[in-house]
Amino acid sequence: MTTKNDDGVELAKAPTRLKPPPLYKVMLLNDDFTPMDFVVIVLQQFFSKDREQATRIMLKVHTEGKGVCGVYPKDIAATKVDQVIEFARQHQHPLQCVMEEN
């Protein structure tokens, strides 16, 4: 695309390049009180994981202390963290969900 300035000279328009937004990992943290089945339900309901994927992530949380549920733009990650924490509180579980920059 070109545009003309007041002198009649055509100026080439530089293409605008937007860098993608930073991504954030949403992670569940292990605790000694939240049932493993509840963690699987959370992973299926809020992160669209099938039963096998959810079980694999749940076991990672259980054995390593944390597990990545997904990677999202900041606003989506923050919303998912809030949804998981609220859902856990409604069911009286201390499950913690956090996000960190990828």
Side-chain angles (χ1 to χ4, degrees), residues 68-83:
V68 176
C69 307
V71 180
Y72 307 95
K74 186 177 185 176
D75 292 344
I76 295 171
T79 299
K80 290 198 177 280
V81 167
D82 291 343
Q83 289 174 331

Side-chain angles (χ1 to χ4, degrees), residues 2-100:
T2 60
T3 57
K4 290 186 180 186
N5 68 5
D6 293 338
D7 298 333
V9 177
E10 289 190 16
L11 304 173
K13 196 173 195 181
T16 304
R17 290 205 177 144
L18 298 175
K19 69 177 192 175
L23 298 176
Y24 290 78
K25 293 186 282 190
V26 177
M27 298 179 295
L28 293 177
L29 305 180
N30 189 42
D31 64 70
D32 294 333
F33 304 101
T34 305
M36 292 179 183
D37 290 338
F38 183 79
V39 174
V40 170
I41 290 167
V42 165
L43 289 162
Q44 290 176 308
Q45 186 169 333
F46 295 100
F47 300 98
S48 303
K49 304 296 183 189
D50 62 32
R51 184 127 182 108
E52 183 180 329
Q53 291 172 316
T55 301
R56 198 174 315 118
I57 294 168
M58 177 273 297
L59 289 171
K60 187 171 182 84
V61 171
H62 182 69
T63 58
E64 297 179 19
K66 65 182 177 180
V68 176
C69 307
V71 180
Y72 307 95
K74 186 177 185 176
D75 292 344
I76 295 171
T79 299
K80 290 198 177 280
V81 167
D82 291 343
Q83 289 174 331
V84 169
I85 291 172
E86 179 61 28
F87 186 71
R89 296 305 165 263
Q90 288 173 356
H91 291 85
Q92 300 178 344
H93 295 299
L95 182 64
Q96 289 293 307
C97 186
V98 297
M99 61 188 250
E100 68 180 37

